[in-house]
Amino acid sequence: MQLSVIILNYNVRYFLEQCVLSVQEAILDLDAEIIVIDNNSSDDSCLMMKTRFPEIKLIENKENFGFPKGNNIGVEQAHGRYVCILNPDTVVAEDTFKKILGFAEEKQNLGIIGCKLIDGTGSFLPESKRGIPTPWVAFTKIFGLYKIFPDSKLFNQYYAQHLKENQTGKVEILVGAFMFMERELYLDLNGFDEDCFMYADDIDLSYRALLKKKDNYYFHETTVLHYKGESTVKDELYMKRFQDAMNFFYQKHFKKSFFFSLFIRLGTWFFSFVKMFQGKPRLKPVPETFIFYSENEILVEKMASNFKNKVSFLDLKKEKLVNSFPILKGRRTEIILDNQYVSFKKCINIIETLKDKNITFKIFPKRTSFVIGSDSRNDRGQIVKID
């Protein structure tokens, strides 16, 4: 078997359904399997999987084992030569795995491959490629020096800014939302460290691959949609988790750093101070217009009733160029992409191409009764059920 796609789920039933649908499309012509591990979700994720995807292997953990152990359980039962660790709040393109498999087969001494990730607004996620977070590199990240001096090698290492987002090349650290590697390497590394804190497991695994003299790569020729959620809110809790993660990493691989301990406390104070004046992150304003991008006029009435008669219908047969939509100019608009007629790859491309402060995006996954998306990387996303 070529590939095993490992998806660890916890209470994101609708995102999981969309993710599995996209992965199914992406492995149609491959000798591949999907393994879903559920970490004792309290929603109906498992019921959905058994009902919608009875052919897919589902592992039901009786407690929440966390990210490292949950994925280790899945890989242990995998049969593919390669494994892909994939978050359930992602959408892959139909050719994602074919492209990455082709890239992997060309490489000698392969470590871990990551790909280009964008959020639900179409914005590039810089954590798609990172450097080793030494105390100095972590310092430049916490205080935003990488933004102030993006072209300086001294300050731009955290997000591996020696590579552009549309440039494939070697990097040191990849993100756990999408990690592709040989199963043999994963097992040789003993998988994710089950003692890891949040934010450290993917850093630790990437670094241990480097210690094995393997080459890790950022691959930009496929884009994966990754809805971020509340885990990215930069508040005091984030700083505490970041501190725990870095302390774990340093104590495991380096000497404990007094320098880091000092500046992380300063950073925590700094973020707390800023948050007092920022308040909660604001979502984008309510759209004035909803555009249903499809060929199915019958669904327009359903959409109109669910979106308060604000739905405009755009026929795919007539609208060839998305950028030519006149209704998008200066108006708060939500675009709903009908996956029955628009491939996942094209959905991702439209979201990335049309990213704009006035536009939000949702996908209507094929054979479902909901639309799903995220208007901000600082919230859990939105789901609207279609009656």
Side-chain angles (χ1 to χ4, degrees):
M1 181 174 285
Q2 290 174 287
L3 173 66
S4 298
V5 182
I6 311 298
I7 305 172
L8 177 65
N9 176 72
Y10 180 67
N11 285 335
V12 287
R13 172 251 188 271
Y14 292 100
F15 287 100
L16 174 64
E17 183 173 355
Q18 179 178 230
C19 177
V20 172
L21 284 168
S22 74
V23 173
Q24 280 188 323
E25 296 291 322
I27 64 172
L28 274 178
D29 299 324
L30 300 174
D31 181 15
E33 65 179 349
I34 303 171
I35 298 176
V36 173
I37 310 96
D38 185 81
N39 259 346
N40 198 29
S41 295
S42 58
D43 62 10
D44 64 346
S45 293
C46 291
L47 177 61
M48 180 277 295
M49 286 299 303
K50 292 173 183 176
T51 304
R52 289 288 325 262
F53 309 105
E55 74 283 4
I56 291 178
K57 184 174 185 62
L58 173 66
I59 301 172
E60 297 182 71
N61 292 334
K62 298 307 179 184
E63 59 181 285
N64 185 355
F65 289 128
F67 183 87
K69 185 173 182 177
N71 278 297
N72 290 346
I73 290 171
V75 174
E76 184 180 351
Q77 298 193 32
H79 298 93
R81 176 187 171 190
Y82 294 96
V83 294
C84 181
I85 306 299
L86 186 68
N87 267 27
D89 58 342
T90 58
V91 179
V92 300
E94 284 77 3
D95 59 358
T96 288
F97 297 122
K98 291 178 185 176
K99 285 187 173 182
I100 291 189
L101 278 166
F103 180 78
E105 292 292 333
E106 295 175 352
K107 298 301 176 184
Q108 300 291 327
N109 203 43
L110 180 66
I112 303 171
I113 304 174
C115 70
K116 183 178 181 181
L117 301 174
I118 62 171
D119 66 16
T121 72
S123 298
F124 174 67
L125 293 173
E127 60 266 32
S128 301
K129 51 183 181 65
R130 290 174 289 174
I132 299 170
T134 62
W136 168 252
V137 172
F139 177 84
T140 64
K141 194 266 186 187
I142 291 296
F143 288 94
L145 298 179
Y146 68 95
K147 295 180 181 178
I148 303 172
F149 307 103
D151 298 322
S152 169
K153 186 177 180 180
L154 182 63
F155 298 107
N156 68 10
Q157 297 173 60
Y158 188 86
Y159 287 124
Q161 287 164 283
H162 68 285
L163 286 179
K164 304 299 182 184
E165 63 179 84
N166 292 319
Q167 180 183 4
T168 294
K170 292 182 182 180
V171 294
E172 293 167 327
I173 306 299
L174 298 159
V175 66
F178 187 103
M179 301 182 89
F180 184 100
M181 72 202 81
E182 291 187 347
R183 180 172 180 268
E184 183 179 344
L185 173 62
Y186 188 99
L187 296 177
D188 188 38
L189 294 171
N190 295 315
F192 289 107
D193 188 330
E194 295 177 13
D195 292 327
C196 268
F197 291 90
M198 181 182 288
Y199 297 115
D201 34 41
D202 50 5
I203 297 173
D204 174 68
L205 187 68
S206 299
Y207 185 71
R208 285 188 282 121
L210 296 177
L211 294 179
K212 291 278 187 181
K213 306 301 181 182
K214 299 294 184 178
D215 296 324
N216 296 337
Y217 289 92
Y218 166 72
F219 181 72
H220 85 279
E221 294 180 31
T222 188
T223 301
V224 169
L225 181 61
H226 179 209
Y227 302 105
K228 288 287 293 179
E230 293 179 349
S231 64
T232 60
V233 178
K234 304 300 188 292
D235 57 10
E236 296 92 334
L237 179 58
Y238 170 87
M239 289 297 300
K240 177 63 167 61
R241 288 171 174 169
F242 187 84
Q243 179 181 4
D244 289 342
M246 293 302 98
N247 279 333
F248 178 91
F249 182 71
Y250 297 147
Q251 289 176 11
K252 180 174 180 178
H253 297 290
F254 304 101
K255 293 181 180 180
K256 189 171 181 180
S257 170
F258 171 79
F259 174 67
F260 172 77
S261 299
L262 176 62
F263 85 70
I264 199 70
R265 290 179 183 176
L266 293 174
T268 303
W269 175 86
F270 173 75
F271 268 84
S272 301
F273 180 77
V274 171
K275 291 298 290 186
M276 286 192 301
F277 296 95
Q278 283 184 337
K280 293 184 178 180
R282 294 181 180 179
L283 296 180
K284 293 187 177 182
V286 175
E288 300 173 85
T289 305
F290 291 84
I291 296 177
F292 186 45
Y293 192 36
S294 175
E295 287 184 358
N296 192 340
E297 296 186 58
I298 297 175
L299 283 176
V300 174
E301 292 184 8
K302 280 190 174 183
M303 290 293 174
S305 64
N306 279 273
F307 292 93
K308 301 179 181 179
N309 298 314
K310 293 182 180 180
V311 173
S312 299
F313 173 74
L314 291 179
D315 191 331
L316 287 181
K317 293 178 180 178
K318 298 177 182 178
E319 286 287 351
K320 299 298 183 183
L321 297 176
V322 176
N323 286 319
S324 68
F325 289 171
I327 200 168
L328 299 184
K329 295 181 179 179
R331 296 177 62 87
R332 294 195 304 273
T333 303
E334 179 151 294
I335 300 176
I336 303 167
L337 303 163
D338 184 0
N339 178 231
Q340 185 64 40
Y341 300 97
V342 186
S343 68
F344 283 114
K345 181 176 180 177
K346 189 170 183 179
C347 287
I348 294 168
N349 179 256
I350 290 172
I351 292 171
E352 184 175 15
T353 302
L354 288 182
K355 59 185 176 186
D356 185 276
K357 64 180 181 180
N358 291 317
I359 304 174
T360 55
F361 303 93
K362 301 292 183 296
I363 297 176
F364 182 22
K366 62 178 64 177
R367 300 185 300 277
T368 68
S369 58
F370 60 88
V371 298
I372 189 168
S374 176
D375 299 345
S376 166
R377 67 180 63 182
N378 291 328
D379 73 89
R380 287 186 180 277
Q382 299 80 37
I383 298 155
V384 179
K385 296 182 181 179
I386 306 301
D387 300 326

Coordinates of all heavy atoms in Angstrom, one line a residue, residues 8 10 37 39 61 63-73 194 201:
L8 N -6.7 12.4 13.3 CA -7.1 12.4 14.7 C -8.2 13.4 15.0 O -8.0 14.6 14.7 CB -5.9 12.6 15.6 CG -6.1 12.7 17.1 CD1 -6.5 11.3 17.6 CD2 -4.9 13.2 17.8
Y10 N -11.2 15.2 17.5 CA -11.8 15.5 18.8 C -12.8 16.6 18.7 O -12.5 17.8 18.5 CB -10.7 15.9 19.8 CG -11.3 16.1 21.2 CD1 -11.8 15.1 21.9 CD2 -11.3 17.4 21.7 CE1 -12.3 15.3 23.2 CE2 -11.8 17.7 23.0 CZ -12.3 16.6 23.7 OH -12.9 16.8 25.0
I37 N -8.9 8.3 14.0 CA -8.9 8.0 15.4 C -9.7 9.1 16.2 O -9.4 10.3 16.0 CB -7.4 8.0 15.9 CG1 -6.5 7.2 15.1 CG2 -7.4 7.6 17.4 CD1 -5.8 8.0 14.0
N39 N -10.7 10.8 19.7 CA -10.2 10.9 21.1 C -11.3 11.1 22.1 O -11.4 12.1 22.8 CB -9.1 12.0 21.2 CG -7.7 11.4 21.3 OD1 -7.5 10.2 21.5 ND2 -6.8 12.3 21.1
N61 N -11.1 5.8 20.8 CA -10.4 5.8 22.1 C -11.4 6.1 23.2 O -12.4 6.9 23.0 CB -9.3 6.8 22.1 CG -8.1 6.4 21.2 OD1 -7.9 5.3 20.9 ND2 -7.4 7.4 20.7
E63 N -10.8 7.5 26.0 CA -10.4 8.7 26.7 C -9.6 9.6 25.7 O -9.2 9.1 24.7 CB -9.6 8.4 27.9 CG -8.3 7.7 27.7 CD -7.6 7.4 29.0 OE1 -7.0 8.4 29.5 OE2 -7.6 6.3 29.5
N64 N -9.5 10.8 26.1 CA -8.7 11.8 25.2 C -7.2 11.6 25.5 O -6.7 12.1 26.5 CB -9.2 13.2 25.5 CG -8.5 14.2 24.5 OD1 -7.6 13.8 23.7 ND2 -8.9 15.4 24.6
F65 N -6.5 10.9 24.6 CA -5.1 10.6 24.8 C -4.2 11.7 24.4 O -3.0 11.7 24.6 CB -4.7 9.3 24.1 CG -5.3 8.1 24.7 CD1 -6.0 7.2 23.9 CD2 -5.1 7.8 26.0 CE1 -6.5 6.0 24.4 CE2 -5.6 6.6 26.6 CZ -6.3 5.7 25.8
G66 N -4.8 12.8 23.8 CA -4.0 13.9 23.3 C -3.5 13.6 21.9 O -3.6 12.5 21.3
F67 N -2.8 14.6 21.3 CA -2.4 14.6 19.9 C -1.3 13.5 19.7 O -1.4 12.7 18.8 CB -1.9 16.0 19.5 CG -1.5 16.1 18.1 CD1 -2.4 16.3 17.1 CD2 -0.1 15.9 17.7 CE1 -2.0 16.4 15.7 CE2 0.3 16.0 16.4 CZ -0.7 16.2 15.4
P68 N -0.2 13.5 20.5 CA 0.9 12.5 20.2 C 0.4 11.1 20.2 O 0.6 10.3 19.3 CB 1.9 12.8 21.3 CG 1.6 14.3 21.6 CD 0.2 14.4 21.6
K69 N -0.2 10.7 21.4 CA -0.6 9.3 21.5 C -1.7 8.9 20.5 O -1.6 7.8 20.0 CB -1.0 9.0 22.9 CG -1.3 7.5 23.2 CD -1.6 7.2 24.7 CE -1.8 5.7 24.9 NZ -2.0 5.5 26.4
G70 N -2.6 9.8 20.3 CA -3.7 9.5 19.4 C -3.2 9.1 18.0 O -3.6 8.2 17.3
N71 N -2.2 9.9 17.5 CA -1.6 9.7 16.2 C -0.8 8.4 16.2 O -0.7 7.7 15.2 CB -0.8 10.9 15.7 CG -1.7 12.0 15.1 OD1 -2.3 11.8 14.1 ND2 -1.7 13.1 15.8
N72 N 0.0 8.2 17.3 CA 0.8 7.0 17.4 C -0.1 5.7 17.3 O 0.3 4.8 16.6 CB 1.6 7.0 18.7 CG 2.7 8.0 18.7 OD1 3.0 8.6 17.7 ND2 3.2 8.3 19.9
I73 N -1.2 5.8 17.9 CA -2.2 4.6 17.8 C -2.6 4.4 16.3 O -2.6 3.2 15.9 CB -3.4 4.9 18.7 CG1 -3.0 4.8 20.2 CG2 -4.5 3.9 18.4 CD1 -4.1 5.2 21.1
E194 N 5.0 11.2 23.5 CA 3.7 11.3 24.3 C 3.8 12.1 25.5 O 2.8 12.4 26.2 CB 3.2 9.9 24.5 CG 2.8 9.2 23.2 CD 2.3 7.7 23.4 OE1 2.1 7.4 24.6 OE2 2.3 7.0 22.4
D201 N 5.0 19.0 20.0 CA 5.1 17.7 19.5 C 5.6 17.7 18.0 O 6.4 16.9 17.7 CB 3.7 16.9 19.5 CG 2.5 17.9 19.4 OD1 2.6 18.8 18.5 OD2 1.6 17.7 20.1

